[in-house]
Amino acid sequence: MTNITNLKTTTVICCLIFFSSASAQTIINGFFPQKNDFTLASSYSYKSYDNFFRGSDQTQSNPMNMGEISSTVISVYGEYGILNWLSSTVTLPYISTQNETGVLDPVSQTDEVSGIQDLSLFLKAKVLEKNLNESKIAIGGAAGVSVPVGGYEEAGILSLGNGATAVDGCGFIQLSTPSNLFVELQAAYSLRNNSDFEIPNATLFSAKLGYYNKWFYAHAKVGTQNSLDGLDIGTPEFAAAGGAAALPETEVDYTNFYLNLYVPIYKQSIGISSGYITNMSGKNYDRASGFSLGLVYKAE
């Protein structure tokens, strides 16, 4: 059981640290660490895009002829098992964003922006765990807050984030089979506040299919965000609100596809995570793709 438990604990890394800058995601999974287990991880992520969704229409170029816009993210993540059914997580990303052509962002007046983004803290609890024949079903929930700590510019095309303090609540259900296949569904609500902008609140959903054994863990996931209101890029209302200076107030919807892999490399305590992401559809959102690599350490 020790090997499988270790894998279960570290699999959250693949979900959480992958593209922290891209969007608010349902970042909690249905696996739980044991009491006093601690996981520490760091990751490097890269994504780029050369077209985006202007409203719901995909364009063939980026705003202001910026060419390809790319971002690199270095994230630090930690998880601690408070009890066997209760855990806490923390994540903090450093992000660098730049464009290909050197065109200046109309708000920040630079072609490259970098800095620390948002500090996220979450508590996750297991509400119910029940055996169904030889399978197991787990139901749980999580609550957390994300706070901007880097003092970055919220507006503009190359902004690191929307500068909102977000309070998130998430519920999940996971079905695991004797063959170590599992299916997981999540739903979340994100309440967002920024004193300078009217940031839309959002609902988030994800569906995950995965497999694990003592040699590796892998999953595929589809995640969506639906903003509950907001402006559309290119409309008269968007222009009247300030154009690029009003980007934090846009209605941001998307559907992403993820592939993640984790492999232990030393005594189940040290491992490597990797991932791939692509934005399949969206509204007022980029059409980015990219990858991530991470190093994971687990102590019991």
Side-chain angles (χ1 to χ4, degrees):
M1 285 298 297
T2 301
N3 288 347
I4 296 300
T5 300
N6 287 347
L7 275 171
K8 289 180 178 180
T9 302
T10 51
T11 55
V12 72
I13 306 300
C14 301
C15 308
L16 182 60
I17 62 180
F18 189 64
F19 292 116
S20 300
S21 68
S23 56
Q25 279 287 344
T26 49
I27 61 175
I28 300 299
N29 74 13
F31 293 118
F32 281 81
Q34 297 297 300
K35 181 180 178 180
N36 296 328
D37 283 1
F38 175 68
T39 299
L40 180 66
S42 62
S43 75
Y44 169 86
S45 302
Y46 175 86
K47 71 165 186 172
S48 64
Y49 64 97
D50 54 14
N51 53 73
F52 76 110
F53 296 96
R54 181 186 175 113
S56 299
D57 298 324
Q58 183 175 332
T59 68
Q60 298 303 311
S61 63
N62 275 325
M64 298 185 64
N65 295 317
M66 285 187 169
E68 183 178 82
I69 296 175
S70 61
S71 298
T72 58
V73 184
I74 298 174
S75 290
V76 177
Y77 164 88
E79 180 186 36
Y80 178 71
I82 302 170
L83 299 167
N84 290 344
W85 57 270
L86 181 68
S87 65
S88 61
T89 62
V90 58
T91 183
L92 184 66
Y94 177 89
I95 304 170
S96 178
T97 301
Q98 62 183 2
N99 71 68
E100 179 183 43
T101 62
V103 173
L104 300 184
D105 185 288
V107 177
S108 62
Q109 290 298 302
T110 181
D111 64 349
E112 182 175 0
V113 178
S114 60
I116 297 173
Q117 195 206 37
D118 301 339
L119 174 67
S120 296
L121 301 168
F122 274 80
L123 280 175
K124 180 179 68 171
K126 186 187 301 180
V127 177
L128 174 68
E129 186 173 76
K130 186 175 180 62
N131 292 324
L132 298 175
N133 296 324
E134 295 184 353
S135 298
K136 182 179 292 185
I137 188 169
I139 299 175
V145 60
S146 298
V147 181
V149 294
Y152 57 85
E153 171 62 60
E154 301 102 326
I157 298 169
L158 301 180
S159 176
L160 304 182
N162 60 21
T165 296
V167 179
D168 296 348
C170 174
F172 62 85
I173 182 170
Q174 184 191 85
L175 176 66
S176 301
T177 70
S179 61
N180 294 337
L181 281 169
F182 69 92
V183 177
E184 186 177 298
L185 301 175
Q186 291 190 37
Y189 185 86
S190 182
L191 181 66
R192 300 164 182 179
N193 179 68
N194 184 321
S195 59
D196 297 322
F197 298 97
E198 294 183 7
I199 311 295
N201 298 330
T203 56
L204 302 102
F205 303 93
S206 70
K208 185 188 302 181
L209 175 64
Y211 174 79
Y212 60 89
N213 57 36
K214 66 179 181 180
W215 297 286
F216 74 93
Y217 163 95
H219 77 241
K221 184 177 80 168
V222 175
T224 68
Q225 173 176 290
N226 178 38
S227 294
L228 302 183
D229 53 25
L231 303 170
D232 273 343
I233 295 174
T235 63
E237 292 79 12
F238 176 73
L247 280 172
E249 300 186 4
T250 56
E251 179 182 353
V252 177
D253 302 335
Y254 56 77
T255 299
N256 294 334
F257 176 72
Y258 298 82
L259 286 174
N260 291 105
L261 175 68
Y262 170 80
V263 179
I265 58 175
Y266 180 73
K267 294 184 177 180
Q268 300 293 327
S269 296
I270 298 176
I272 295 174
S273 66
S274 63
Y276 169 79
I277 182 177
T278 184
N279 299 335
M280 298 186 295
S281 64
K283 185 175 185 181
N284 304 309
Y285 195 62
D286 60 65
R287 186 71 165 86
S289 296
F291 68 91
S292 70
L293 293 172
L295 182 65
V296 181
Y297 169 74
K298 177 169 183 307
E300 295 181 317

